[in-house]
Coordinates of all heavy atoms in Angstrom, one line a residue:
M44 N 98.6 101.7 93.2 CA 98.9 100.6 94.1 C 98.2 100.6 95.3 O 97.7 101.6 95.9 CB 100.5 100.7 94.5 CG 100.9 99.5 95.3 SD 102.6 99.6 95.8 CE 102.6 100.8 97.0
N45 N 97.6 99.4 95.6 CA 96.8 99.3 96.9 C 97.7 98.5 97.9 O 98.5 97.7 97.6 CB 95.6 98.3 96.6 CG 94.6 99.1 95.8 OD1 94.2 100.3 96.1 ND2 94.2 98.5 94.7
L46 N 97.4 98.9 99.2 CA 98.0 98.2 100.3 C 97.1 97.3 101.0 O 95.9 97.5 101.0 CB 98.6 99.2 101.3 CG 99.7 100.1 100.7 CD1 100.2 101.1 101.8 CD2 100.8 99.4 100.2
H47 N 97.5 96.2 101.4 CA 96.8 95.2 102.1 C 97.2 95.0 103.6 O 98.4 94.8 103.7 CB 96.5 93.9 101.4 CG 96.3 94.2 99.9 ND1 95.0 94.3 99.4 CD2 97.1 94.4 98.8 CE1 95.0 94.6 98.1 NE2 96.3 94.6 97.6
I48 N 96.3 94.8 104.5 CA 96.8 94.5 105.9 C 96.5 93.0 106.1 O 95.4 92.6 105.9 CB 96.0 95.4 106.9 CG1 96.5 96.9 106.7 CG2 96.4 94.9 108.2 CD1 95.7 97.8 107.5
M49 N 97.6 92.3 106.4 CA 97.4 90.8 106.7 C 98.0 90.5 108.1 O 98.8 91.2 108.7 CB 98.2 90.0 105.6 CG 97.7 90.3 104.2 SD 98.7 89.6 103.0 CE 98.2 87.9 103.2
T50 N 97.4 89.5 108.6 CA 98.0 89.0 109.9 C 99.4 88.5 109.7 O 99.8 88.0 108.6 CB 97.1 87.9 110.5 OG1 96.9 86.7 109.6 CG2 95.7 88.4 110.8
H51 N 100.1 88.7 110.8 CA 101.5 88.2 110.8 C 101.9 87.5 112.1 O 101.3 87.9 113.1 CB 102.4 89.4 110.6 CG 103.9 89.2 110.7 ND1 104.5 88.6 109.6 CD2 104.7 89.3 111.7 CE1 105.9 88.5 110.0 NE2 105.9 88.9 111.2
T52 N 102.6 86.5 112.0 CA 103.0 85.7 113.2 C 104.5 86.1 113.5 O 105.4 85.7 112.6 CB 102.8 84.3 113.1 OG1 101.5 84.1 112.8 CG2 103.1 83.6 114.5
F53 N 104.8 86.8 114.5 CA 106.2 87.0 114.8 C 106.8 85.7 115.2 O 106.3 84.7 115.6 CB 106.2 88.0 116.1 CG 105.8 89.3 115.7 CD1 104.5 89.8 116.0 CD2 106.7 90.2 115.1 CE1 104.1 91.1 115.7 CE2 106.3 91.5 114.8 CZ 105.0 92.0 115.1
P54 N 108.3 85.7 115.1 CA 109.0 84.4 115.5 C 108.7 84.1 117.0 O 108.8 82.9 117.3 CB 110.5 84.9 115.4 CG 110.5 86.1 114.4 CD 109.1 86.8 114.6
S55 N 108.3 85.0 117.8 CA 108.1 84.7 119.2 C 106.7 83.9 119.3 O 106.3 83.4 120.4 CB 107.9 86.0 120.0 OG 106.9 86.8 119.5
G56 N 105.8 84.0 118.2 CA 104.6 83.5 118.3 C 103.5 84.3 118.4 O 102.3 83.9 118.3
N57 N 103.8 85.5 118.8 CA 102.8 86.6 118.9 C 102.2 86.9 117.6 O 102.9 86.9 116.6 CB 103.4 87.9 119.6 CG 103.8 87.7 121.0 OD1 103.2 86.9 121.7 ND2 104.8 88.5 121.5
R58 N 100.9 87.3 117.6 CA 100.2 87.7 116.4 C 100.3 89.1 116.2 O 100.4 90.0 117.1 CB 98.7 87.3 116.5 CG 98.5 85.8 116.2 CD 98.8 85.4 114.8 NE 98.3 84.1 114.5 CZ 97.1 84.0 114.1 NH1 96.3 84.9 113.8 NH2 96.7 82.7 113.7
G59 N 100.6 89.5 115.0 CA 100.6 91.0 114.6 C 100.0 91.2 113.2 O 99.3 90.3 112.7
Y60 N 100.4 92.3 112.6 CA 99.9 92.6 111.3 C 100.9 93.1 110.4 O 101.9 93.8 110.8 CB 98.7 93.7 111.4 CG 97.5 93.2 112.2 CD1 97.4 93.3 113.5 CD2 96.5 92.6 111.4 CE1 96.3 92.8 114.2 CE2 95.3 92.0 112.1 CZ 95.3 92.2 113.5 OH 94.3 91.6 114.1
K61 N 100.8 92.8 109.1 CA 101.9 93.4 108.2 C 101.2 94.0 107.0 O 100.0 93.7 106.8 CB 102.8 92.2 107.7 CG 102.1 91.2 107.0 CD 103.0 90.0 106.7 CE 102.2 88.9 105.9 NZ 103.1 87.7 105.6
V62 N 101.8 94.9 106.4 CA 101.3 95.6 105.3 C 102.0 95.2 104.0 O 103.2 95.0 103.9 CB 101.6 97.2 105.3 CG1 101.0 97.9 104.2 CG2 100.9 97.6 106.7
V63 N 101.3 94.6 103.0 CA 101.8 94.1 101.8 C 101.2 94.9 100.6 O 100.1 95.5 100.7 CB 101.6 92.7 101.6 CG1 102.2 91.8 102.7 CG2 100.1 92.4 101.5
D64 N 101.9 95.0 99.5 CA 101.4 95.6 98.3 C 100.7 94.6 97.5 O 100.5 93.5 97.8 CB 102.5 96.4 97.6 CG 103.5 95.4 97.0 OD1 103.3 94.1 97.0 OD2 104.7 95.9 96.6
D65 N 100.2 95.1 96.3 CA 99.6 94.2 95.4 C 100.4 92.9 95.0 O 99.7 91.8 94.6 CB 99.2 94.9 94.2 CG 98.0 95.8 94.4 OD1 97.2 95.7 95.3 OD2 97.9 96.9 93.6
N66 N 101.7 92.9 95.0 CA 102.5 91.9 94.6 C 102.8 91.0 95.8 O 103.6 90.0 95.7 CB 103.8 92.4 93.9 CG 103.5 93.0 92.7 OD1 102.6 92.7 92.0 ND2 104.2 94.2 92.5
G67 N 102.3 91.3 97.0 CA 102.5 90.5 98.1 C 103.8 90.8 98.9 O 104.3 90.1 99.8
N68 N 104.4 91.9 98.5 CA 105.8 92.3 99.1 C 105.4 93.0 100.4 O 104.7 93.9 100.4 CB 106.6 93.2 98.2 CG 106.9 92.5 96.9 OD1 107.4 91.3 96.9 ND2 106.7 93.2 95.7
M69 N 106.1 92.7 101.5 CA 105.9 93.3 102.8 C 106.6 94.7 102.8 O 107.6 95.0 102.2 CB 106.4 92.5 103.9 CG 106.0 93.1 105.2 SD 106.3 92.0 106.6 CE 108.1 92.0 106.7
I70 N 105.8 95.7 103.1 CA 106.3 97.1 103.2 C 106.4 97.4 104.7 O 105.6 97.2 105.5 CB 105.3 98.0 102.5 CG1 105.1 97.7 101.0 CG2 105.8 99.5 102.7 CD1 104.1 98.4 100.4
G71 N 107.6 97.9 105.1 CA 108.0 98.2 106.4 C 108.1 96.9 107.3 O 108.3 95.9 106.8
S72 N 108.0 97.2 108.5 CA 108.2 96.1 109.4 C 106.7 95.7 110.0 O 105.8 96.5 110.0 CB 109.1 96.5 110.6 OG 108.6 97.7 111.2
P73 N 106.5 94.4 110.5 CA 105.3 94.1 111.0 C 104.9 94.8 112.2 O 105.8 95.4 113.0 CB 105.6 92.6 111.3 CG 106.7 92.2 110.7 CD 107.7 93.4 110.5
K74 N 103.6 95.0 112.4 CA 103.1 95.9 113.5 C 102.5 95.0 114.5 O 101.9 94.0 114.3 CB 102.1 96.9 113.0 CG 102.4 97.6 111.8 CD 103.7 98.6 111.9 CE 104.1 99.1 110.6 NZ 105.5 99.3 110.5
G75 N 102.4 95.5 115.8 CA 101.8 94.7 116.8 C 100.4 94.8 116.9 O 99.7 93.9 117.3
C76 N 99.9 95.9 116.4 CA 98.3 95.9 116.4 C 97.8 96.6 115.1 O 98.6 97.1 114.3 CB 97.8 96.8 117.5 SG 98.1 98.6 117.3
R77 N 96.6 96.3 114.9 CA 96.1 96.6 113.6 C 96.0 98.1 113.4 O 96.2 98.6 112.2 CB 94.5 96.1 113.5 CG 94.1 96.0 112.1 CD 92.8 95.2 111.8 NE 92.5 94.8 110.5 CZ 92.2 95.7 109.6 NH1 92.0 96.9 109.9 NH2 92.0 95.3 108.3
D78 N 95.8 98.8 114.4 CA 95.7 100.3 114.3 C 97.0 100.8 113.8 O 97.0 101.8 112.9 CB 95.5 101.0 115.6 CG 93.9 100.9 116.0 OD1 93.2 100.6 115.1 OD2 93.6 101.4 117.1
D79 N 98.1 100.3 114.2 CA 99.4 100.8 113.8 C 99.6 100.5 112.3 O 100.0 101.3 111.6 CB 100.5 100.0 114.7 CG 100.7 100.5 116.0 OD1 100.1 101.6 116.3 OD2 101.5 100.0 116.8
A80 N 99.1 99.3 111.9 CA 99.2 99.0 110.5 C 98.4 99.9 109.6 O 98.9 100.3 108.5 CB 98.8 97.5 110.3
V81 N 97.2 100.3 110.1 CA 96.3 101.1 109.3 C 97.0 102.5 109.2 O 97.0 103.1 108.1 CB 94.9 101.3 110.0 CG1 94.1 102.4 109.4 CG2 94.1 99.9 109.9
T82 N 97.4 103.0 110.3 CA 98.2 104.3 110.3 C 99.3 104.3 109.4 O 99.6 105.2 108.6 CB 98.6 104.6 111.7 OG1 97.6 104.6 112.6 CG2 99.3 106.0 111.8
F83 N 100.2 103.2 109.4 CA 101.2 103.0 108.5 C 100.8 103.1 107.1 O 101.5 103.8 106.3 CB 102.0 101.7 108.9 CG 103.1 101.5 107.9 CD1 104.4 102.0 108.2 CD2 103.0 100.7 106.8 CE1 105.6 101.8 107.4 CE2 104.1 100.5 106.0 CZ 105.3 101.0 106.2
C84 N 99.8 102.5 106.7 CA 99.2 102.6 105.3 C 98.8 103.9 104.9 O 99.3 104.4 103.8 CB 97.9 101.7 105.3 SG 98.2 99.9 105.1
E85 N 98.2 104.6 105.8 CA 97.8 106.0 105.5 C 99.1 106.9 105.3 O 99.0 107.7 104.3 CB 97.0 106.6 106.6 CG 95.5 106.0 106.6 CD 94.8 106.4 108.0 OE1 95.4 106.9 108.8 OE2 93.6 106.0 108.0
V86 N 100.0 106.8 106.2 CA 101.2 107.6 106.1 C 101.9 107.3 104.8 O 102.5 108.2 104.0 CB 102.1 107.4 107.3 CG1 103.4 108.2 107.2 CG2 101.4 108.0 108.6
Y87 N 102.1 106.0 104.5 CA 102.8 105.5 103.4 C 102.3 106.0 102.1 O 102.9 106.6 101.2 CB 102.9 104.0 103.4 CG 103.8 103.3 102.2 CD1 105.1 103.2 102.5 CD2 103.2 103.1 101.1 CE1 105.9 102.6 101.5 CE2 104.0 102.6 100.0 CZ 105.3 102.4 100.1 OH 106.1 101.8 99.3
L88 N 100.9 106.0 101.9 CA 100.2 106.4 100.7 C 100.3 107.9 100.6 O 100.5 108.4 99.4 CB 98.8 105.8 100.7 CG 98.6 104.3 100.6 CD1 97.1 104.1 100.8 CD2 99.0 103.9 99.3
K89 N 100.1 108.5 101.6 CA 100.3 110.0 101.6 C 101.6 110.4 101.2 O 101.8 111.3 100.4 CB 100.0 110.6 103.1 CG 99.7 112.1 103.1 CD 99.1 112.4 104.4 CE 98.9 113.9 104.6 NZ 100.2 114.5 105.1
R90 N 102.6 109.9 101.8 CA 104.1 110.2 101.3 C 104.3 109.9 99.9 O 104.9 110.7 99.3 CB 105.0 109.4 102.4 CG 106.3 110.1 102.5 CD 107.2 109.2 103.5 NE 106.7 109.4 104.8 CZ 107.2 108.6 105.8 NH1 108.1 107.6 105.6 NH2 106.7 108.8 107.0
Q91 N 103.8 108.7 99.4 CA 103.9 108.3 98.1 C 103.3 109.4 97.1 O 103.8 109.7 96.2 CB 103.4 107.0 97.8 CG 104.1 106.3 96.7 CD 103.5 104.9 96.5 OE1 102.2 104.7 96.7 NE2 104.3 104.0 96.2
A92 N 102.1 109.9 97.5 CA 101.4 110.8 96.8 C 102.1 112.2 96.7 O 102.2 112.7 95.6 CB 100.0 111.0 97.3
E93 N 102.7 112.6 97.8 CA 103.5 113.8 97.9 C 104.7 113.8 97.1 O 105.2 114.7 96.5 CB 103.7 114.1 99.3 CG 102.6 114.6 100.2 CD 102.8 114.7 101.6 OE1 103.8 114.3 102.1 OE2 101.9 115.2 102.3
S94 N 105.3 112.5 97.0 CA 106.6 112.4 96.3 C 106.4 112.4 94.8 O 107.3 112.5 94.0 CB 107.4 111.2 96.8 OG 106.6 110.2 96.3
G95 N 105.1 112.4 94.4 CA 104.9 112.5 93.0 C 104.9 111.2 92.4 O 104.7 111.1 91.1
L96 N 105.2 110.0 93.0 CA 105.2 108.7 92.5 C 103.8 108.3 92.1 O 102.9 108.4 93.1 CB 105.9 107.7 93.3 CG 107.4 107.8 93.3 CD1 107.8 106.7 94.2 CD2 107.9 107.5 91.9
K97 N 103.4 108.0 91.0 CA 102.0 107.6 90.6 C 102.1 106.4 89.7 O 102.9 106.4 88.8 CB 101.4 108.8 89.9 CG 100.0 109.0 90.3 CD 99.4 110.1 89.7 CE 97.9 110.0 89.5 NZ 97.3 110.9 88.6
S98 N 101.2 105.6 90.0 CA 101.3 104.4 89.0 C 100.5 104.8 87.7 O 99.4 105.2 87.7 CB 100.4 103.2 89.8 OG 100.5 102.1 89.0
R99 N 101.2 104.6 86.6 CA 100.7 104.9 85.3 C 100.8 103.6 84.4 O 101.7 102.9 84.5 CB 101.4 106.1 84.7 CG 101.5 107.4 85.4 CD 102.5 108.3 84.8 NE 102.9 109.3 85.7 CZ 102.3 110.5 85.7 NH1 101.3 110.8 85.0 NH2 102.8 111.5 86.6
P100 N 99.9 103.5 83.4 CA 100.1 102.5 82.5 C 101.2 102.8 81.6 O 101.3 104.0 81.1 CB 98.8 102.4 81.7 CG 98.2 103.7 81.9 CD 98.7 104.4 83.2
C101 N 102.0 101.8 81.2 CA 103.2 102.0 80.3 C 102.6 102.4 78.8 O 101.6 101.8 78.5 CB 104.0 100.8 80.3 SG 105.1 100.6 79.0
I102 N 103.2 103.3 78.2 CA 102.7 103.7 76.8 C 102.9 102.5 75.9 O 102.2 102.6 74.8 CB 103.4 105.0 76.3 CG1 104.9 104.8 76.4 CG2 102.9 106.1 77.0 CD1 105.7 105.9 75.5
T103 N 103.8 101.6 76.1 CA 104.1 100.6 75.2 C 103.3 99.3 75.5 O 102.7 98.8 74.6 CB 105.6 100.2 75.2 OG1 106.4 101.5 75.0 CG2 106.0 99.3 74.1
C104 N 103.4 98.7 76.7 CA 102.7 97.5 77.0 C 101.5 97.7 78.0 O 100.9 96.7 78.2 CB 103.8 96.5 77.6 SG 104.2 97.0 79.3
R105 N 101.2 98.8 78.4 CA 100.0 99.1 79.2 C 100.1 98.5 80.7 O 99.2 98.6 81.3 CB 98.7 98.6 78.6 CG 98.5 99.0 77.1 CD 98.6 100.5 76.9 NE 97.7 101.3 77.6 CZ 97.6 102.5 77.7 NH1 98.5 103.3 77.1 NH2 96.6 103.2 78.3
T106 N 101.2 98.0 81.0 CA 101.4 97.6 82.4 C 101.5 98.7 83.3 O 102.4 99.6 83.1 CB 102.7 96.6 82.4 OG1 102.6 95.7 81.4 CG2 102.9 96.1 83.7
P107 N 100.8 98.8 84.4 CA 100.9 99.9 85.3 C 102.2 99.7 86.0 O 102.7 98.6 86.3 CB 99.9 99.7 86.4 CG 98.9 98.6 85.7 CD 99.7 97.8 84.8
F108 N 102.9 100.8 86.1 CA 104.2 100.9 86.9 C 104.3 102.3 87.6 O 103.5 103.2 87.3 CB 105.4 100.7 85.9 CG 105.6 101.9 85.1 CD1 106.7 102.7 85.2 CD2 104.8 102.2 84.1 CE1 106.9 103.9 84.4 CE2 105.0 103.3 83.2 CZ 106.1 104.1 83.4
E109 N 105.2 102.4 88.5 CA 105.4 103.6 89.2 C 106.2 104.5 88.5 O 107.5 104.6 88.4 CB 106.0 103.3 90.6 CG 104.9 103.1 91.7 CD 105.4 102.6 93.0 OE1 106.6 102.9 93.3 OE2 104.7 101.8 93.7
S110 N 105.6 105.6 87.8 CA 106.3 106.6 87.1 C 106.8 107.6 88.0 O 106.3 108.0 89.0 CB 105.2 107.2 86.1 OG 105.9 108.2 85.5
E111 N 108.0 108.1 87.7 CA 108.6 109.2 88.4 C 108.0 110.6 88.0 O 108.3 111.6 88.7 CB 110.1 109.2 88.3 CG 110.8 108.0 88.9 CD 112.1 107.7 88.2 OE1 112.7 108.6 87.4 OE2 112.6 106.7 88.5
G112 N 107.3 110.5 87.0 CA 106.8 111.9 86.5 C 106.2 111.7 85.2 O 106.3 110.8 84.5
I113 N 105.8 112.8 84.6 CA 105.1 112.9 83.2 C 106.2 112.4 82.2 O 105.7 111.9 81.2 CB 104.5 114.2 83.0 CG1 103.3 114.1 81.9 CG2 105.5 115.3 82.8 CD1 102.2 113.4 82.4
H114 N 107.4 112.7 82.5 CA 108.5 112.4 81.5 C 108.7 111.0 81.3 O 109.3 110.4 80.4 CB 109.7 113.1 81.8 CG 110.3 112.7 83.0 ND1 109.8 113.2 84.3 CD2 111.3 111.9 83.4 CE1 110.5 112.7 85.2 NE2 111.4 111.8 84.7
N115 N 108.2 110.2 82.3 CA 108.6 108.8 82.4 C 107.3 108.0 82.2 O 106.5 107.8 83.0 CB 109.1 108.5 83.9 CG 109.5 107.0 84.0 OD1 109.4 106.3 83.1 ND2 110.0 106.7 85.2
R116 N 107.1 107.6 80.9 CA 105.9 106.9 80.6 C 106.1 105.4 80.2 O 105.2 104.8 79.6 CB 105.1 107.7 79.5 CG 104.7 109.2 80.0 CD 103.7 109.0 81.1 NE 102.6 108.2 80.9 CZ 101.5 108.6 80.3 NH1 101.4 109.8 79.8 NH2 100.5 107.8 80.2
M117 N 107.3 105.0 80.2 CA 107.5 103.6 79.8 C 108.0 102.9 81.0 O 108.8 103.3 81.8 CB 108.7 103.6 78.8 CG 108.3 103.4 77.4 SD 109.8 103.1 76.4 CE 109.3 103.9 74.9
C118 N 107.5 101.5 81.2 CA 107.9 100.8 82.4 C 109.4 100.5 82.2 O 110.0 100.5 81.0 CB 107.1 99.6 82.5 SG 107.3 98.4 81.1
P119 N 110.1 100.1 83.3 CA 111.5 99.9 83.2 C 111.9 98.8 82.2 O 112.9 98.9 81.5 CB 111.8 99.4 84.6 CG 110.8 100.0 85.5 CD 109.5 100.2 84.6
R120 N 110.9 97.8 82.0 CA 111.2 96.6 81.1 C 111.2 97.2 79.6 O 112.2 96.9 78.9 CB 110.2 95.7 81.2 CG 110.7 94.3 80.9 CD 109.7 93.2 81.2 NE 108.3 93.8 80.9 CZ 107.2 93.0 80.9 NH1 107.3 91.7 81.0 NH2 106.1 93.6 80.6
C121 N 110.2 98.0 79.3 CA 110.2 98.5 77.9 C 111.3 99.5 77.6 O 111.8 99.7 76.6 CB 108.8 99.2 77.6 SG 107.5 98.0 77.5
R122 N 111.6 100.3 78.7 CA 112.7 101.3 78.6 C 114.0 100.6 78.2 O 114.8 101.2 77.5 CB 112.8 102.1 79.8 CG 113.3 103.5 79.6 CD 112.7 104.6 80.4 NE 112.3 104.2 81.7 CZ 112.7 104.6 82.9 NH1 113.7 105.5 82.9 NH2 112.2 104.3 84.0
S123 N 114.3 99.6 79.0 CA 115.6 98.9 78.8 C 115.5 98.3 77.4 O 116.6 98.2 76.7 CB 116.0 97.9 79.8 OG 115.0 96.8 79.7
R124 N 114.3 97.7 76.9 CA 114.2 97.2 75.6 C 114.6 98.3 74.5 O 115.3 98.1 73.6 CB 113.0 96.5 75.4 CG 112.9 95.4 74.4 CD 111.6 94.9 74.2 NE 110.9 94.3 75.3 CZ 109.6 94.2 75.5 NH1 108.8 94.6 74.5 NH2 109.2 93.6 76.6
A125 N 113.9 99.4 74.7 CA 114.1 100.6 73.8 C 115.6 101.0 73.9 O 116.1 101.3 72.7 CB 113.2 101.7 74.2
N126 N 116.2 101.0 75.0 CA 117.6 101.2 75.1 C 118.4 100.3 74.2 O 119.2 100.7 73.5 CB 118.0 101.1 76.6 CG 118.5 102.5 77.2 OD1 119.0 103.2 76.4 ND2 118.4 102.6 78.4
D127 N 118.1 99.1 74.4 CA 118.8 98.0 73.7 C 118.7 98.2 72.2 O 119.7 98.0 71.4 CB 118.3 96.6 74.1 CG 118.7 96.2 75.4 OD1 119.6 96.9 76.0 OD2 118.1 95.4 76.0
A128 N 117.5 98.7 71.7 CA 117.4 98.9 70.3 C 117.9 100.3 69.9 O 117.7 100.6 68.7 CB 115.7 98.8 70.0
G129 N 118.4 101.0 70.8 CA 119.1 102.3 70.3 C 118.0 103.4 70.1 O 118.3 104.3 69.5
M130 N 116.7 103.2 70.7 CA 115.6 104.2 70.5 C 115.8 105.4 71.5 O 115.3 106.5 71.2 CB 114.3 103.7 70.7 CG 113.8 102.8 69.5 SD 112.5 101.6 69.9 CE 111.2 102.9 70.3
I131 N 116.5 105.2 72.6 CA 116.7 106.3 73.5 C 118.2 106.7 73.5 O 119.1 105.9 73.6 CB 116.3 105.9 74.9 CG1 114.7 105.7 74.9 CG2 116.7 106.9 76.0 CD1 114.2 105.2 76.2
Ligands
ZN317 ZN1 106.0 98.5 79.2

């Protein structure tokens, strides 16, 4: 997953920066200055790497998703489909 820093306008009208993921979802709260946003990105990615969460392609549909570990190789959508079919 990549993080992107985008400009953000606070309700007060002040300009700031926000961190969004590839899907455009905002992560954390908007920051007042760009340096804070950059630092936030670094910390967030580092913490994510340490927690073992890694984006892997699904073994079934090849869609990248955040796997919890080597045992988890199916995206949630395929997993629930497999569940419904009684495969798990
Ligand atoms: Zn899948």
Side-chain angles (χ1 to χ4, degrees):
M44 181 178 72
N45 291 310
L46 297 179
H47 310 274
I48 296 171
M49 298 174 73
T50 55
H51 175 80
T52 306
F53 289 98
S55 62
N57 290 335
R58 283 299 193 85
Y60 295 89
K61 62 183 173 186
V62 178
V63 299
D64 66 14
D65 287 332
N66 298 321
N68 299 314
M69 187 164 76
I70 298 171
S72 52
K74 315 293 175 216
C76 73
R77 199 171 197 283
D78 280 354
D79 283 353
V81 171
T82 304
F83 177 82
C84 281
E85 287 169 356
V86 171
Y87 184 87
L88 290 173
K89 190 164 174 280
R90 203 174 291 167
Q91 204 177 38
E93 282 169 356
S94 72
L96 279 180
K97 218 175 154 196
S98 192
R99 302 169 197 270
C101 168
I102 51 165
T103 307
C104 69
R105 312 304 299 169
T106 305
F108 72 105
E109 274 172 26
S110 172
E111 289 155 16
I113 198 77
H114 62 281
N115 181 2
R116 297 300 304 276
M117 260 191 209
C118 71
R120 209 174 35 166
C121 288
R122 208 141 29 116
S123 72
R124 207 185 297 158
N126 243 333
D127 290 346
M130 286 165 62
I131 292 176

